[in-house]
């Protein structure tokens, strides 16, 4: 459903013996290409997903992680994934006390436009809500 989430970038193959730079590739097509990731879906998720259990001030921790994600998120363009998800949750977030949880989603901008990102986040949140209610949710 979202094939670009399984994509990686393939570096252009150019003749290095000629005068090459980021704007001239010796007459060859110098554009990076999107190709399928060599990683299986479960490997992509294992590399992309982080769960952060937070006992400290939740809003402060979320703000800190968000600000760090803006400046310090890096992606492996050759192997993938080109997106990352961090789930931040307080102890007892599933219990009657209703602890807080948050989701940080980072993606390489060229993979997704805003409309597709909105659809993806909506599907992800709907899946999480159904899972919290104990419902089995089929993969899209």
């Amino acid at each position: 459903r979202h094939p670009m989430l399984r994509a990686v970038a393939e570096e252009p193959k150019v003749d290095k013996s000629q005068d090459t730079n980021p704007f001239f590739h010796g007459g060859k097509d110098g554009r990076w290409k999107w190709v399928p990731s060599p990683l299986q879906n479960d490997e992509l998720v294992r590399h992309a997903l982080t769960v952060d259990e937070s006992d400290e001030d939740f809003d402060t921790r979320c703000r800190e992680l968000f600000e760090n994600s803006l400046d310090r998120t890096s992606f492996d363009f050759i192997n993938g994934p080109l997106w990352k998800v961090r789930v931040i949750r307080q102890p007892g977030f599933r219990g009657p006390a209703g602890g807080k949880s948050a989701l940080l989603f980072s993606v390489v901008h060229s993979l997704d436009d805003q409309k597709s990102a909105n659809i993806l986040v909506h599907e992800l949140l709907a899946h999480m809500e159904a899972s919290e209610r104990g419902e089995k949710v089929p993969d899209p």
Side-chain angles (χ1 to χ4, degrees):
R1 179 148 168 92
H2 301 280
M4 290 303 287
L5 294 180
R6 293 182 291 278
V8 294
E10 182 178 273
E11 188 173 4
K13 294 167 181 50
V14 296
D15 182 358
K16 301 287 186 188
S17 66
Q18 297 185 21
D19 181 23
T20 61
N21 62 50
F23 304 105
F24 177 74
H25 299 283
K28 304 289 184 191
D29 183 357
R31 292 176 290 187
W32 287 67
K33 296 178 185 167
W34 299 114
V35 297
S37 172
L39 301 175
Q40 297 297 317
N41 287 349
D42 61 331
E43 293 174 295
L44 285 169
V45 171
R46 192 170 47 254
H47 288 287
L49 177 64
T50 303
V51 177
D52 190 322
E53 303 284 349
S54 180
D55 286 334
E56 56 195 83
D57 180 86
F58 189 78
D59 294 337
T60 300
R61 180 68 177 148
C62 288
R63 187 177 308 107
E64 174 188 300
L65 289 169
F66 174 74
E67 289 172 357
N68 285 341
S69 75
L70 295 174
D71 296 329
R72 295 187 183 103
T73 300
S74 61
F75 298 97
D76 182 346
F77 277 78
I78 304 301
N79 298 303
L82 300 179
W83 54 276
K84 295 187 180 179
V85 174
R86 180 181 292 268
V87 177
I88 307 133
R89 57 190 185 195
Q90 290 178 314
F93 78 99
R94 288 188 176 157
K100 295 179 182 179
S101 62
L103 179 75
L104 289 177
F105 183 70
S106 303
V107 64
V108 172
H109 178 68
S110 54
L111 282 186
D112 224 347
D113 57 40
Q114 189 62 55
K115 182 177 180 181
S116 297
N118 290 345
I119 291 169
L120 175 66
V121 170
H122 174 77
E123 289 177 352
L124 181 59
L125 292 174
H127 185 92
M128 291 172 67
E129 288 174 356
S131 178
E132 287 294 314
R133 291 189 302 268
E135 298 172 9
K136 183 165 175 63
V137 181
D139 292 333

